[in-house]
Amino acid sequence: MLRPDQPTGTKMDLVLNIADHYFFTPYVYPASWPEDEALRQIIGLLIVTNLGAAILYLGLGSLSYYFVFDHSLMKHPQFLPNQVRREIKYAMSSLPWISIPTVALFFAEVRGYSKLYDNVADSPFGWPGLLFSMVSFLFFTDMCIYWIHRFLHHKLIYKNFHKPHHVWKIPTPFASHAFHPVDGFLQGLPYHVYPFLFPLHKLLYLGLYVFVNIWTVSIHDGDYRVPSLLEKVINGSAHHTDHHLFFEYNYGQYFTLWDRIGGSYRHPSALEGKGPRDCIRRLEAQGKLKNGINGTNITNGTNSSNGHIDAGSTISKAQKQE
């Protein structure tokens, strides 16, 4: 399916090719419309990207929410009213807007302007190159996301673009994609830039894209367990929850490396007995936790004494944003 003006050796993107073969060509588009025509590719990519993003978000989010997420966290004073519904609503309204610039990058890949390749034999370094690209993808994107994330926390940027994601002080898995569209696109940009700079196998690229979504859900899933040998290396849910609570720490995606280099690393409060669950247990023991489900809990304005802001203030602000 090469166009005469395409760079030699490029093929239609794997996912779009499958969608054309099994769905678009037999059921949607007329047979006279070539599969490699630019407009058709753009329309197809928009459909596939939006559908794929929604399936990944809702599917992974639901699995994590029902089987991993600790629902006792919903008793926390800073868990907002109707938070899960609001997270889903915000994410689903943002994903179509994020897809527009993302599809522009996918289109460039489909037209052969990236360094994606189909076969291991096409890799400059064979199987070792394939394995190296997997590792380098993680470190490259982790580095880029760290600096993009810090940029989004700049006082001139934060309020307009990144603040909506920080509404969720005690996030659920559904907060994972609940970004402002500009925020969501910028933080996803490194994943799409990598194959324009470095060779990457198409199947590996697809697998890494799924992994990225799994990881993004996992750092919002409220499962604070981290193997002791890795707790200072891996940026897990405990680390990222502290980012939501304290703002200026743990900007990284997978690793703590750049937080250590950038001086923004904070050892997770949940691993020191000062996290959200400890706050809930303390409030329950003091008899200050009321209506402890689904974000309706209020502690009569009592500060949780572990660095979290006043519960009553949080809920009041949330209701204004509703």
Side-chain angles (χ1 to χ4, degrees):
M1 294 192 178
L2 289 175
R3 285 171 50 90
D5 59 340
Q6 273 187 281
T8 304
T10 61
K11 289 185 178 180
M12 183 173 287
D13 175 78
L14 178 63
V15 175
L16 186 58
N17 197 16
I18 292 173
D20 277 331
H21 183 76
Y22 291 101
F23 181 66
F24 292 133
T25 296
Y27 302 114
V28 179
Y29 299 130
S32 59
W33 199 356
E35 291 183 357
D36 59 358
E37 202 276 326
L39 179 59
R40 171 170 167 163
Q41 288 181 329
I42 291 171
I43 295 172
L45 285 168
L46 279 168
I47 295 171
V48 167
T49 301
N50 277 281
L51 187 60
I55 290 173
L56 279 174
Y57 167 64
L58 294 174
L60 294 173
S62 296
L63 288 172
S64 181
Y65 179 75
Y66 287 108
F67 297 106
V68 179
F69 178 67
D70 183 351
H71 286 69
S72 70
L73 291 170
M74 299 169 77
K75 300 177 183 179
H76 194 280
Q78 289 170 273
F79 194 89
L80 304 183
N82 303 311
Q83 180 172 314
V84 173
R85 178 182 63 81
R86 292 168 61 188
E87 287 171 340
I88 295 172
K89 181 180 178 181
Y90 197 89
M92 293 302 291
S93 64
S94 293
L95 286 174
W97 293 104
I98 296 172
S99 74
I100 295 173
T102 302
V103 162
L105 293 168
F106 283 154
F107 180 66
E109 293 170 3
V110 167
R111 305 301 277 187
Y113 297 106
S114 71
K115 297 181 182 292
L116 290 168
Y117 58 87
D118 292 279
N119 304 301
V120 176
D122 298 326
S123 169
F125 305 104
W127 282 103
L130 189 77
L131 296 175
F132 176 76
S133 65
M134 179 171 60
V135 175
S136 64
F137 177 92
L138 295 178
F139 278 96
F140 173 83
T141 55
D142 187 64
M143 175 188 69
C144 293
I145 290 170
Y146 174 82
W147 290 109
I148 290 171
H149 198 170
R150 287 203 71 161
F151 166 75
L152 287 163
H153 273 260
H154 189 279
K155 61 183 180 180
L156 298 178
I157 304 296
Y158 175 80
K159 182 177 181 180
N160 292 320
F161 298 116
H162 193 54
K163 186 177 180 179
H165 187 62
H166 275 275
V167 168
W168 331 114
K169 302 297 188 299
I170 306 296
T172 80
F174 292 112
S176 60
H177 293 64
F179 291 99
H180 183 283
V182 173
D183 184 359
F185 173 70
L186 287 177
Q187 293 208 56
L189 187 59
Y191 309 128
H192 306 295
V193 166
Y194 182 93
F196 287 95
L197 300 177
F198 309 103
L200 186 63
H201 194 287
K202 286 184 178 180
L203 281 176
L204 179 58
Y205 184 34
L206 183 61
L208 287 168
Y209 182 76
V210 174
F211 169 78
V212 163
N213 279 273
I214 293 173
W215 188 271
T216 302
V217 170
S218 76
I219 60 175
H220 295 86
D221 67 9
D223 185 349
Y224 303 141
R225 294 173 297 178
V226 183
S228 57
L229 292 176
L230 298 176
E231 66 184 30
K232 294 185 178 180
V233 177
I234 297 297
N235 181 67
S237 180
H239 301 73
H240 194 70
T241 295
D242 271 10
H243 174 73
H244 277 255
L245 288 169
F246 304 110
F247 300 99
E248 297 178 345
Y249 304 96
N250 301 346
Y251 296 99
Q253 181 74 350
Y254 317 112
F255 311 114
T256 62
L257 173 64
W258 282 99
D259 279 300
R260 295 181 181 280
I261 293 173
S264 54
Y265 176 75
R266 177 190 176 97
H267 192 65
S269 59
L271 303 182
E272 296 179 338
K274 302 176 182 178
R277 290 197 190 101
D278 304 288
C279 172
I280 293 169
R281 284 193 289 267
R282 186 161 54 249
L283 291 172
E284 287 180 330
Q286 295 171 357
K288 294 180 179 179
L289 199 61
K290 299 180 180 180
N291 302 323
I293 193 66
N294 227 14
T296 58
N297 39 299
I298 301 176
T299 61
N300 300 322
T302 303
N303 189 289
S304 63
S305 72
N306 64 347
H308 304 174
I309 63 176
D310 181 84
S313 172
T314 302
I315 292 176
S316 176
K317 291 178 182 177
Q319 289 169 339
K320 290 179 182 178
Q321 294 167 355
E322 186 74 23

